Amino acid sequence: MASIGKIARRTFLIGSAAIVGGVAFGAYYVSRPAPNPLKPTEGEAALNPFVLIDQQGVTLFAPRAEMGQGVKTTWAALIAEELDVELDQIRVLHGPAAAAYYNSALMGEVLPGKGYDKSDFMHGVAETLGKIGKVIGMQVTGGSTSMVDGFERMRAAGASARETLKEAAAQQLGVDRQSLKTADGKAIAPDGTEIAYGELAVVAATLDPVKADVRPSAEWRLLGKSQPRIDMVGKSTGTAEFGIDVRLDGMKFASVRMSPRHAGMTKFDASAAQQMPGVEKVIDLGTGVAVVANNTWIAMQALESLEIEWEEAPYPPETDQILAKIASAFDADANSTMRDDGDVETIPAGATEVRAEYQVPYLAHATMEPMNATALYSGTQLDIWCGNQAPIFVARHCAKAVELEPEAVDVHTTYLGGGFGRRGEVDFAVLAARVAKEMPDVPVQVTWSREEDMQHDFYRPAAIGRFRGAVQDGKAVMLDGGIAAQSCAHQAMGRWMGAPAAGPDKTTVDGAFNAPYAIPNFRVRGYLADLAVPVGFWRSVGASVNGFLLDSFIDEMAHAAGRDPLEFRLELAMAEWAPAAACLETVRDMSGWTGKTPEGVGRGVGFTYSFGTPVAQVIEVVDEDGTIRINKAWIACDVGIALDRSIIEAQMIGGMNYGLSAACFGEITFADGEVEQMNFPDYDAIRMHTAPITEVAILENKRHISGAGEPGTPPSMPALGNALFDLTGTRARELPFSKSFDLLL
């Protein structure tokens, strides 16, 4: 029991019932399985990291973080479906930082190709490539991959558990395993004898796991249906533990003030802070200062009293200078040409040329829960409590920061009060580890102020898109696009892996080069801007930029061709990829699209393919005495296999509103090297009274399952822009739209 007990104390079972007589089941479809982090002693077995049966029931060790996307519920449903238990019979706990919990789907995203044209062979290649994830520690929640990663693995784990428990029951009853049934967490003999799974755990621990096929979808009880969210009770009652809720005996509280210019610190004067009641320590962090105090508010107030001189920013200090640097990337060679069909150099005779340039700003993640982490350093051991999207990376970087081996760091992953890619970074955990090292054997919670959070994000890159196209006889015959931006992929991978990434960057042009449109002459190139502004993954990543850039241009081409914008897209999609066309047809029918709107009403359509999922949206806006309100929205998406429709619907609506918030109000600007936006009054969002009434249709025409967490974001931005054009006749090619229109706040 010692090993599991250690995990319980230090990793992820704090506050949970003890695991006694445990037996874990599952199937690992890898040639060289990663070590199982569960190390039971005599009478116990841990045959797989995911499912554990004990005398109290079933425990799922989830490898992905719950940050509002419903992953805990659907992962549990995948297990419950095969194990013949109900959702309320499963405890779900986040797994520790361990290679066994690698994301098998993320690495496949780096393969070249448009995605929607991926053959079964290439799907197999992607699955094989995914195994590299366990070698490099890709225990990452992101990329809309949780269900893609877990769909087969979790069902296989549940099926193996079921059959192994049946074998244990068969040996105990002296019958053949095939004669037994399972239901409600019990093995049932032909004569009606029932044995609860918990009673079989110790016997099953002595058996080799039984391989079993997963059940066909026709036999599903839970999957494919909406399930009650298993995290909602805790979140509704305030008992769910987020990082900022962690409380430990003897805890101290701290906050940080880092360089607003993302540079060094020349000097600082802490004399005023050190005299404040409740302040215990002022820590020089090199590029900033931490204050440890009796509570967080005192720490933040003490930081405000500091007199600090900062070094100059390592990037141009003003926004217009930064944008000029991005534009200059077009003067160099393209980093990538991910699509190059036909001839884009020559405008066909008789065709009408269309040109446009678009610009989008830097964006912050603006998570509702500010960055925070709690750390306890003993000299030989470090414990970190925080909401995070990459526990292994947290462990590695924190270990390096306090000069320990990664094995000496235990990461306790709590609920995330918003992630959107921001908590895939490790800076907030590393700072907490460094502060804790200065306070040995004292748990310290380091909480950032909202202002510190906004000024020290890893921003969605600003970008400029230059497009040239041609239409002839009502059809698109040519499209040539260039996109200039910083590479968030190169920067983030460099931070994660400790070495700069290089080579063609697929992410910067994602959502543009792989648009499923049959344009005979179609080229998209990416140009990387060399800037030190910190950038990272933001919900829907490159597609969040290119959904607006490309699909706004498609709309302009449709008008230049004298065509209905939706029918124009539909014709292009029908000739390229049927699932994309079906989404457009569905959203057309849902919204009652006619291409004509009454006075004071505008409608626009947007379409983007990202993360394997095509999404079409129609946005309706209305003019109310000169103020424009977003009134209604319709969404049609195709995720291939809809495991839980209510969760997918929530993700599509949430993703759309996240995109609308950015489209309407989101902008990060710089002055004297410092971010100007400090809090939500400077960085507004869609509110309940400004969010549209929304209807969602979920299609299942694709052959393979795909993600839902991010694909709802990109098409919202062009759909809104196109609706505003329909309403006003003004084509805004720069975000946010609040610069060009009077939008309801």
Side-chain angles (χ1 to χ4, degrees), residues 3-214:
S3 297
I4 289 184
K6 176 182 178 182
I7 292 172
R9 289 191 301 273
R10 295 185 177 177
T11 311
F12 52 93
L13 299 183
I14 292 175
S16 301
I19 295 174
V20 181
V23 54
F25 296 93
Y28 237 8
Y29 295 114
V30 292
S31 56
R32 298 178 65 183
N36 190 333
L38 305 177
K39 304 294 183 183
T41 56
E42 184 178 353
E44 303 166 341
L47 309 179
N48 184 273
F50 302 113
V51 183
L52 188 139
I53 312 294
D54 67 16
Q55 295 164 359
Q56 301 176 51
V58 181
T59 300
L60 165 63
F61 299 109
R64 304 291 162 258
E66 177 60 73
M67 50 187 176
Q69 81 278 42
V71 66
K72 288 181 72 170
T73 300
T74 307
W75 277 72
L78 289 166
I79 292 291
E81 186 69 71
E82 296 292 340
L83 198 50
D84 287 328
V85 297
E86 302 303 320
L87 283 187
D88 60 8
Q89 294 176 283
I90 298 181
R91 300 186 300 272
V92 183
L93 305 167
H94 195 288
Y101 300 114
Y102 72 99
N103 189 324
S104 66
L106 264 182
M107 294 302 296
E109 291 297 312
V110 305
L111 289 173
K114 297 185 284 290
Y116 63 84
D117 59 350
K118 190 181 295 182
S119 66
D120 287 342
F121 172 76
M122 288 305 293
H123 271 281
V125 172
E127 290 175 0
T128 300
L129 184 62
K131 297 172 186 177
I132 298 175
K134 68 174 179 283
V135 179
I136 61 177
M138 293 297 287
Q139 185 185 356
V140 175
T141 304
S144 297
T145 56
S146 289
M147 291 308 108
V148 180
D149 168 51
F151 181 53
E152 295 291 346
R153 294 168 85 188
M154 289 301 98
R155 290 189 299 146
S160 176
R162 181 190 68 239
E163 294 303 312
T164 307
L165 287 164
K166 286 170 62 177
E167 180 61 30
Q171 293 185 15
Q172 184 171 325
L173 296 171
V175 299
D176 183 79
R177 171 167 56 91
Q178 301 299 330
S179 69
L180 300 177
K181 297 180 180 180
T182 52
D184 196 30
K186 302 172 185 175
I188 306 170
D191 64 1
T193 301
E194 298 180 349
I195 307 177
Y197 287 168
E199 298 175 30
L200 297 169
V202 174
V203 175
T206 65
L207 305 177
D208 291 332
V210 178
K211 294 182 179 179
D213 294 331
V214 298

Side-chain angles (χ1 to χ4, degrees), residues 98-347:
Y101 300 114
Y102 72 99
N103 189 324
S104 66
L106 264 182
M107 294 302 296
E109 291 297 312
V110 305
L111 289 173
K114 297 185 284 290
Y116 63 84
D117 59 350
K118 190 181 295 182
S119 66
D120 287 342
F121 172 76
M122 288 305 293
H123 271 281
V125 172
E127 290 175 0
T128 300
L129 184 62
K131 297 172 186 177
I132 298 175
K134 68 174 179 283
V135 179
I136 61 177
M138 293 297 287
Q139 185 185 356
V140 175
T141 304
S144 297
T145 56
S146 289
M147 291 308 108
V148 180
D149 168 51
F151 181 53
E152 295 291 346
R153 294 168 85 188
M154 289 301 98
R155 290 189 299 146
S160 176
R162 181 190 68 239
E163 294 303 312
T164 307
L165 287 164
K166 286 170 62 177
E167 180 61 30
Q171 293 185 15
Q172 184 171 325
L173 296 171
V175 299
D176 183 79
R177 171 167 56 91
Q178 301 299 330
S179 69
L180 300 177
K181 297 180 180 180
T182 52
D184 196 30
K186 302 172 185 175
I188 306 170
D191 64 1
T193 301
E194 298 180 349
I195 307 177
Y197 287 168
E199 298 175 30
L200 297 169
V202 174
V203 175
T206 65
L207 305 177
D208 291 332
V210 178
K211 294 182 179 179
D213 294 331
V214 298
R215 288 169 172 160
S217 59
E219 297 179 14
W220 287 351
R221 299 179 304 111
L222 303 173
L223 298 176
K225 301 179 178 66
S226 296
Q227 302 298 330
R229 289 278 294 267
I230 64 177
D231 56 326
M232 281 299 100
V233 172
K235 290 178 177 178
S236 300
T237 59
T239 58
E241 186 179 62
F242 292 81
I244 209 166
D245 298 322
V246 171
R247 292 294 182 268
L248 302 171
D249 291 340
M251 177 182 284
K252 300 298 180 181
F253 300 87
S255 192
V256 294
R257 188 176 170 196
M258 307 300 290
S259 170
R261 297 171 184 162
H262 302 276
M265 180 174 63
T266 304
K267 63 180 180 179
F268 73 97
D269 181 357
S271 56
Q274 290 168 334
Q275 295 174 16
M276 293 178 65
V279 170
E280 301 206 1
K281 193 165 190 175
V282 178
I283 301 171
D284 183 351
L285 296 171
T287 56
V289 181
V291 170
V292 181
N294 290 338
N295 64 56
T296 302
W297 179 247
I298 291 175
M300 289 181 177
Q301 292 300 298
L303 287 167
E304 288 298 315
S305 74
L306 298 178
E307 296 181 9
I308 307 178
E309 292 184 8
W310 305 109
E311 294 179 357
E312 295 301 314
Y315 45 79
E318 306 297 325
T319 300
D320 58 352
Q321 296 171 334
I322 292 172
L323 291 172
K325 182 69 173 177
I326 294 172
S328 70
F330 286 115
D331 299 331
D333 292 337
N335 165 265
S336 69
T337 305
M338 301 299 295
R339 187 166 189 161
D340 193 2
D341 300 338
D343 176 17
V344 299
E345 300 297 337
T346 305
I347 301 294

Side-chain angles (χ1 to χ4, degrees), residues 418-440:
F420 315 121
R422 178 62 180 94
R423 285 185 162 91
E425 302 291 344
V426 301
D427 56 323
F428 56 96
V430 168
L431 285 176
R434 292 179 62 193
V435 171
K437 188 178 180 182
E438 301 298 319
M439 304 284 291

Side-chain angles (χ1 to χ4, degrees), residues 65 242-244 369 371-373 385-390 394 412-418 423-425 428:
F242 292 81
I244 209 166
E369 179 191 17
M371 295 299 107
N372 68 88
W385 291 261
C386 62
N388 70 86
Q389 296 176 241
V394 168
H412 313 254
T413 299
T414 64
Y415 280 118
L416 284 65
R423 285 185 162 91
E425 302 291 344
F428 56 96

